[in-house]
Amino acid sequence: MDEPAVAEQLLLVTEVRLANAGSLWVLDQPVLVHPGQRYWLDEDKRLLFVEELGGGTRSYPCWFALGPEAPR
């Protein structure tokens, strides 16, 4: 997810699947993303970022669920 997405409704995010590569990233814990908030995945840092409406950014750890880097 290179470009930030904007939530159109309240979302409970537990995983992110990248459309271009089909890779699946699973969050350590579910994350609520409120309408209007921007969110994106940084694959290199293994973090989901959520931009707060009032400013600031929060990050949430995630892991690669498929492939050689997946936990066993």
Side-chain angles (χ1 to χ4, degrees), residues 1-35:
M1 178 180 293
D2 297 328
E3 296 293 319
V6 178
E8 295 179 14
Q9 60 188 14
L10 184 63
L11 300 173
L12 179 62
V13 181
T14 57
E15 63 186 35
V16 176
R17 183 176 300 275
L18 300 180
N20 57 346
S23 56
L24 178 67
W25 292 82
V26 178
L27 287 124
D28 285 347
Q29 62 184 7
V31 175
L32 276 176
V33 181
H34 296 273

Side-chain angles (χ1 to χ4, degrees), residues 24-71:
L24 178 67
W25 292 82
V26 178
L27 287 124
D28 285 347
Q29 62 184 7
V31 175
L32 276 176
V33 181
H34 296 273
Q37 287 183 316
R38 295 178 349 132
Y39 61 100
W40 63 95
L41 177 70
D42 185 322
E43 292 180 78
D44 294 332
K45 294 181 181 177
R46 297 179 184 216
L47 294 170
L48 176 75
F49 289 94
V50 178
E51 189 175 78
E52 301 294 328
L53 294 174
T57 304
R58 298 186 126 196
S59 61
Y60 302 92
C62 55
W63 45 273
F64 192 53
L66 302 173
E69 295 182 40

